[in-house]
């Protein structure tokens, strides 16, 4: 995606293979492979070359929530609702090592730029940093008071940023392990966060339908976008740093021009909530996934040179036009599902608080009984 202002993004390929909603996507460094995770508990590694076979990796016992290639592309990390992280060798054998990373769902996994460590985030409200090659626990960051949805290293590896259901984004110093700053401007759960390629800014997406961009040096809010009509689930910076793409429960992707602070494109490719999006490391492609079970790869090509949509078996897909009434009904259903998702999130949050209070009560009761015993 070298010059999206001059070229329209066109859908290049549909990848079919997952049996449930796609939760996460990531490209390898050379853009030869695309990894996707799904609620079907599987990882798939797709080859960008047409008519190539995809690898299906099984091992997780519950939904796969996050995937990330190591900087070299020789390893692939995944996190799951089964509370484990797996480190895979992304080849035909699909060998992996697994370890219990957290006491609740692992929401996020991300390698440091030197490949020597990676960071995980979880519903147990903690962020953990690990040594890559030994999968050894290094340290934990724990100031969030609710689920941590996402944690990312800065490009230079000196900072970590995290996003949580406590409605905050926190910036951490890796060496001192201290929280440098908390950004509290979101009006709802913060679903995703990432660093600008320069490392000077962060962008966060939220359940309040917004995307916010802050300067990590001055902590000033630089840009605030309210372009989606439902929760923003994911975002990705273009490697040039000039563009940002977002994925939303309103089923659209939006490409923003950060230099001019305006919307460039709205893309309607998914038949339900768009759950994840990622630019390739070269910026040539971007991929998105959603509850329609298919990762899609988009490639900006000049008008008149658009390619037909292919599945992984290279079968052409004909565009289907739907009656307006059906489209309206589907939009209404998606809207209702989004409300239901937010309601479930609130109930889960209350359940977590109740569990914490119950645990505290039991501990207090145990303490009283110990004191009462002569």
């Amino acid at each position: 995606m070298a010059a999206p202002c001059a070229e329209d993004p066109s859908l290049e390929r549909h990848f079919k293979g997952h049996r449930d909603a796609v939760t996460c996507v990531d490209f390898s460094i050379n853009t030869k492979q695309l990894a996707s995770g799904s609620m079907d508990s599987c990882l798939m590694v797709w080859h960008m070359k047409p008519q190539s076979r995809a690898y299906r990796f099984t091992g997780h016992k519950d939904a796969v929530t996050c995937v990330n290639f190591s900087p070299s592309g020789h390893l692939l990390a995944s996190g799951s609702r089964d509370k484990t992280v797996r480190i895979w060798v992304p080849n035909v054998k699909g060998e992996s090592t697994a370890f219990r990373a957290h006491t609740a769902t692992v929401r996020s996994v991300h390698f440091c730029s030197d490949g020597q460590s990676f960071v995980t985030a979880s519903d147990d409200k903690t962020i953990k940093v690990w040594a890559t090659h030994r999968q050894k626990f290094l340290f934990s960051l724990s100031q969030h008071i609710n689920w941590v949805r996402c944690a990312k290293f800065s490009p230079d590896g000196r900072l970590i940023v995290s996003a949580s259901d406590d409605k905050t984004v926190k910036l951490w110093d890796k060496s001192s392990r201290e929280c440098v700053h908390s950004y509290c401007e979101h009006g709802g759960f913060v679903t995703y966060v990432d660093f600008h390629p320069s490392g000077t800014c962060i962008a966060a997406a939220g359940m309040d339908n917004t995307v916010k961009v802050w300067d990590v040096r001055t902590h000033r809010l630089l840009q605030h976008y309210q372009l989606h009509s439902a929760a923003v689930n994911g975002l990705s910076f273009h490697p040039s740093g000039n563009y940002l793409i977002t994925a939303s429960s309103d089923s659209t992707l939006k490409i923003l021009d950060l230099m001019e602070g305006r919307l460039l494109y709205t893309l309607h490719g998914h038949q339900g909530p768009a759950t994840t999006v990622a630019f390739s490391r070269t910026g040539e492609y971007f991929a998105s996934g959603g509850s329609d079970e298919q990762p899609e790869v988009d490639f900006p090509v000049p008008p008149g040179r658009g390619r037909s949509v292919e599945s992984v078996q290279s079968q052409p897909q004909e565009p289907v036009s739907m009656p307006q009434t059906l489209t309206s009904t589907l939009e209404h259903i998606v809207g209702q599902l989004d409300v239901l998702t937010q309601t479930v999130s609130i109930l889960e949050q209350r359940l977590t608080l109740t569990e914490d209070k119950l645990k505290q009560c039991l501990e207090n009761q145990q303490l009283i009984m110990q004191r009462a015993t002569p």
Side-chain angles (χ1 to χ4, degrees), residues 232-262:
V232 186
N233 301 314
L235 52 80
S236 179
F237 282 103
H238 187 267
S240 69
N242 296 336
Y243 308 100
L244 182 74
I245 189 165
T246 59
S248 169
S249 292
D250 65 11
S251 79
T252 69
L253 308 177
K254 290 183 187 285
I255 301 174
L256 313 175
D257 184 329
L258 297 175
M259 303 301 285
E260 295 187 19
R262 67 183 181 93

Short mmCIF file of all heavy atoms in Angstrom, two decimals, residues 232-262:
data_model
loop_
_atom_site.label_atom_id
_atom_site.label_comp_id
_atom_site.label_asym_id
_atom_site.label_seq_id
_atom_site.Cartn_x
_atom_site.Cartn_y
_atom_site.Cartn_z
N VAL A 232 -14.73 -0.34 17.85
CA VAL A 232 -13.54 -0.54 17.02
C VAL A 232 -12.72 -1.65 17.68
O VAL A 232 -12.34 -1.56 18.84
CB VAL A 232 -12.70 0.76 16.90
CG1 VAL A 232 -11.56 0.55 15.91
CG2 VAL A 232 -13.58 1.92 16.45
N ASN A 233 -12.50 -2.74 16.93
CA ASN A 233 -11.90 -3.95 17.50
C ASN A 233 -10.40 -4.08 17.27
O ASN A 233 -9.71 -4.79 17.99
CB ASN A 233 -12.59 -5.19 16.92
CG ASN A 233 -14.07 -5.20 17.22
OD1 ASN A 233 -14.47 -4.95 18.35
ND2 ASN A 233 -14.89 -5.46 16.21
N GLY A 234 -9.90 -3.40 16.25
CA GLY A 234 -8.47 -3.52 15.94
C GLY A 234 -8.01 -2.39 15.05
O GLY A 234 -8.83 -1.69 14.44
N LEU A 235 -6.71 -2.20 15.00
CA LEU A 235 -6.13 -1.17 14.12
C LEU A 235 -4.70 -1.56 13.77
O LEU A 235 -4.10 -2.41 14.42
CB LEU A 235 -6.18 0.22 14.77
CG LEU A 235 -5.61 0.41 16.18
CD1 LEU A 235 -4.09 0.54 16.17
CD2 LEU A 235 -6.21 1.65 16.83
N SER A 236 -4.17 -0.91 12.74
CA SER A 236 -2.80 -1.19 12.31
C SER A 236 -2.23 0.02 11.59
O SER A 236 -2.90 0.62 10.75
CB SER A 236 -2.77 -2.41 11.39
OG SER A 236 -1.45 -2.69 10.95
N PHE A 237 -1.00 0.40 11.94
CA PHE A 237 -0.31 1.49 11.25
C PHE A 237 0.35 0.96 9.99
O PHE A 237 0.91 -0.14 9.98
CB PHE A 237 0.79 2.07 12.14
CG PHE A 237 0.32 3.01 13.21
CD1 PHE A 237 0.23 2.57 14.53
CD2 PHE A 237 -0.02 4.32 12.92
CE1 PHE A 237 -0.20 3.43 15.54
CE2 PHE A 237 -0.45 5.18 13.91
CZ PHE A 237 -0.54 4.75 15.23
N HIS A 238 0.29 1.76 8.93
CA HIS A 238 1.07 1.47 7.73
C HIS A 238 2.55 1.69 8.08
O HIS A 238 2.87 2.58 8.86
CB HIS A 238 0.65 2.41 6.60
CG HIS A 238 1.27 2.07 5.28
ND1 HIS A 238 2.43 2.65 4.84
CD2 HIS A 238 0.90 1.19 4.31
CE1 HIS A 238 2.74 2.16 3.65
NE2 HIS A 238 1.84 1.28 3.31
N PRO A 239 3.48 0.86 7.54
CA PRO A 239 4.90 1.01 7.88
C PRO A 239 5.46 2.42 7.64
O PRO A 239 6.40 2.83 8.31
CB PRO A 239 5.59 -0.01 6.97
CG PRO A 239 4.55 -1.03 6.69
CD PRO A 239 3.25 -0.30 6.65
N SER A 240 4.87 3.17 6.70
CA SER A 240 5.32 4.54 6.45
C SER A 240 4.95 5.48 7.59
O SER A 240 5.52 6.56 7.74
CB SER A 240 4.68 5.08 5.16
OG SER A 240 3.28 5.27 5.34
N GLY A 241 3.95 5.05 8.40
CA GLY A 241 3.47 5.89 9.49
C GLY A 241 2.45 6.93 9.07
O GLY A 241 1.93 7.68 9.91
N ASN A 242 2.13 6.97 7.78
CA ASN A 242 1.21 8.00 7.28
C ASN A 242 -0.25 7.59 7.32
O ASN A 242 -1.13 8.45 7.20
CB ASN A 242 1.58 8.37 5.84
CG ASN A 242 2.94 9.01 5.75
OD1 ASN A 242 3.43 9.58 6.72
ND2 ASN A 242 3.58 8.90 4.59
N TYR A 243 -0.52 6.30 7.45
CA TYR A 243 -1.90 5.80 7.38
C TYR A 243 -2.20 4.85 8.54
O TYR A 243 -1.31 4.20 9.07
CB TYR A 243 -2.15 5.08 6.05
CG TYR A 243 -1.75 5.92 4.85
CD1 TYR A 243 -0.53 5.70 4.21
CD2 TYR A 243 -2.57 6.95 4.39
CE1 TYR A 243 -0.14 6.48 3.15
CE2 TYR A 243 -2.18 7.74 3.32
CZ TYR A 243 -0.97 7.50 2.70
OH TYR A 243 -0.58 8.29 1.65
N LEU A 244 -3.46 4.79 8.89
CA LEU A 244 -3.93 3.89 9.94
C LEU A 244 -5.19 3.20 9.42
O LEU A 244 -6.07 3.86 8.85
CB LEU A 244 -4.27 4.69 11.21
CG LEU A 244 -4.73 3.89 12.43
CD1 LEU A 244 -3.54 3.15 13.06
CD2 LEU A 244 -5.35 4.82 13.47
N ILE A 245 -5.27 1.88 9.60
CA ILE A 245 -6.48 1.15 9.20
C ILE A 245 -7.16 0.61 10.45
O ILE A 245 -6.50 0.19 11.40
CB ILE A 245 -6.15 0.02 8.20
CG1 ILE A 245 -7.44 -0.57 7.63
CG2 ILE A 245 -5.26 -1.06 8.80
CD1 ILE A 245 -7.23 -1.43 6.39
N THR A 246 -8.50 0.66 10.46
CA THR A 246 -9.27 0.21 11.62
C THR A 246 -10.30 -0.83 11.21
O THR A 246 -10.77 -0.85 10.07
CB THR A 246 -10.01 1.41 12.27
OG1 THR A 246 -10.88 2.02 11.30
CG2 THR A 246 -9.03 2.45 12.79
N ALA A 247 -10.64 -1.72 12.16
CA ALA A 247 -11.66 -2.76 11.94
C ALA A 247 -12.73 -2.61 13.01
O ALA A 247 -12.41 -2.45 14.19
CB ALA A 247 -11.02 -4.14 12.02
N SER A 248 -13.99 -2.70 12.60
CA SER A 248 -15.07 -2.40 13.54
C SER A 248 -16.21 -3.42 13.49
O SER A 248 -16.41 -4.12 12.49
CB SER A 248 -15.63 -1.00 13.23
OG SER A 248 -16.84 -0.76 13.93
N SER A 249 -16.97 -3.45 14.58
CA SER A 249 -18.17 -4.29 14.65
C SER A 249 -19.27 -3.80 13.71
O SER A 249 -20.27 -4.49 13.52
CB SER A 249 -18.71 -4.33 16.09
OG SER A 249 -17.81 -5.03 16.92
N ASP A 250 -19.11 -2.59 13.11
CA ASP A 250 -20.08 -2.13 12.11
C ASP A 250 -19.82 -2.78 10.76
O ASP A 250 -20.43 -2.41 9.76
CB ASP A 250 -20.09 -0.60 12.01
CG ASP A 250 -18.77 -0.01 11.49
OD1 ASP A 250 -17.91 -0.77 11.00
OD2 ASP A 250 -18.61 1.22 11.59
N SER A 251 -18.88 -3.77 10.72
CA SER A 251 -18.51 -4.61 9.57
C SER A 251 -17.62 -3.89 8.55
O SER A 251 -17.30 -4.45 7.51
CB SER A 251 -19.75 -5.20 8.86
OG SER A 251 -20.37 -4.25 8.03
N THR A 252 -17.18 -2.68 8.85
CA THR A 252 -16.33 -1.95 7.91
C THR A 252 -14.89 -1.85 8.38
O THR A 252 -14.58 -1.98 9.57
CB THR A 252 -16.84 -0.51 7.67
OG1 THR A 252 -16.66 0.26 8.86
CG2 THR A 252 -18.30 -0.49 7.26
N LEU A 253 -14.02 -1.61 7.40
CA LEU A 253 -12.64 -1.19 7.65
C LEU A 253 -12.55 0.25 7.18
O LEU A 253 -13.18 0.63 6.19
CB LEU A 253 -11.64 -2.03 6.86
CG LEU A 253 -11.72 -3.56 6.97
CD1 LEU A 253 -10.69 -4.19 6.04
CD2 LEU A 253 -11.48 -4.01 8.39
N LYS A 254 -11.76 1.06 7.88
CA LYS A 254 -11.57 2.45 7.45
C LYS A 254 -10.09 2.76 7.41
O LYS A 254 -9.34 2.38 8.31
CB LYS A 254 -12.29 3.42 8.38
CG LYS A 254 -13.82 3.34 8.25
CD LYS A 254 -14.54 4.35 9.12
CE LYS A 254 -16.05 4.14 9.10
NZ LYS A 254 -16.69 4.58 7.86
N ILE A 255 -9.65 3.43 6.33
CA ILE A 255 -8.27 3.86 6.20
C ILE A 255 -8.21 5.36 6.44
O ILE A 255 -8.91 6.13 5.77
CB ILE A 255 -7.69 3.50 4.82
CG1 ILE A 255 -7.74 1.98 4.60
CG2 ILE A 255 -6.25 3.99 4.70
CD1 ILE A 255 -7.32 1.53 3.22
N LEU A 256 -7.37 5.77 7.40
CA LEU A 256 -7.25 7.17 7.78
C LEU A 256 -5.92 7.73 7.31
O LEU A 256 -4.89 7.06 7.39
CB LEU A 256 -7.34 7.31 9.31
CG LEU A 256 -8.47 6.57 10.02
CD1 LEU A 256 -8.34 6.71 11.52
CD2 LEU A 256 -9.82 7.08 9.54
N ASP A 257 -5.95 8.95 6.81
CA ASP A 257 -4.73 9.68 6.46
C ASP A 257 -4.32 10.47 7.70
O ASP A 257 -4.98 11.45 8.08
CB ASP A 257 -5.01 10.62 5.28
CG ASP A 257 -3.76 11.34 4.81
OD1 ASP A 257 -2.87 11.61 5.64
OD2 ASP A 257 -3.67 11.65 3.61
N LEU A 258 -3.26 10.03 8.38
CA LEU A 258 -2.85 10.66 9.63
C LEU A 258 -2.20 12.02 9.41
O LEU A 258 -2.24 12.87 10.30
CB LEU A 258 -1.89 9.74 10.39
CG LEU A 258 -2.47 8.39 10.82
CD1 LEU A 258 -1.38 7.52 11.45
CD2 LEU A 258 -3.62 8.57 11.79
N MET A 259 -1.61 12.21 8.26
CA MET A 259 -0.95 13.49 7.97
C MET A 259 -1.99 14.61 7.84
O MET A 259 -1.78 15.72 8.31
CB MET A 259 -0.13 13.41 6.66
CG MET A 259 0.92 12.30 6.68
SD MET A 259 2.11 12.48 8.02
CE MET A 259 3.11 13.81 7.38
N GLU A 260 -3.13 14.28 7.22
CA GLU A 260 -4.18 15.27 7.04
C GLU A 260 -5.31 15.13 8.05
O GLU A 260 -6.21 15.97 8.11
CB GLU A 260 -4.75 15.17 5.61
CG GLU A 260 -3.71 15.53 4.55
CD GLU A 260 -4.33 15.59 3.15
OE1 GLU A 260 -5.57 15.71 3.05
OE2 GLU A 260 -3.56 15.51 2.18
N GLY A 261 -5.27 14.05 8.84
CA GLY A 261 -6.30 13.84 9.87
C GLY A 261 -7.69 13.63 9.29
O GLY A 261 -8.68 14.16 9.80
N ARG A 262 -7.77 12.83 8.21
CA ARG A 262 -9.08 12.63 7.57
C ARG A 262 -9.25 11.17 7.13
O ARG A 262 -8.28 10.42 6.99
CB ARG A 262 -9.25 13.57 6.36
CG ARG A 262 -8.31 13.26 5.20
CD ARG A 262 -8.47 14.27 4.07
NE ARG A 262 -7.59 13.95 2.95
CZ ARG A 262 -7.94 13.21 1.91
NH1 ARG A 262 -9.15 12.70 1.84
NH2 ARG A 262 -7.07 12.98 0.93
#
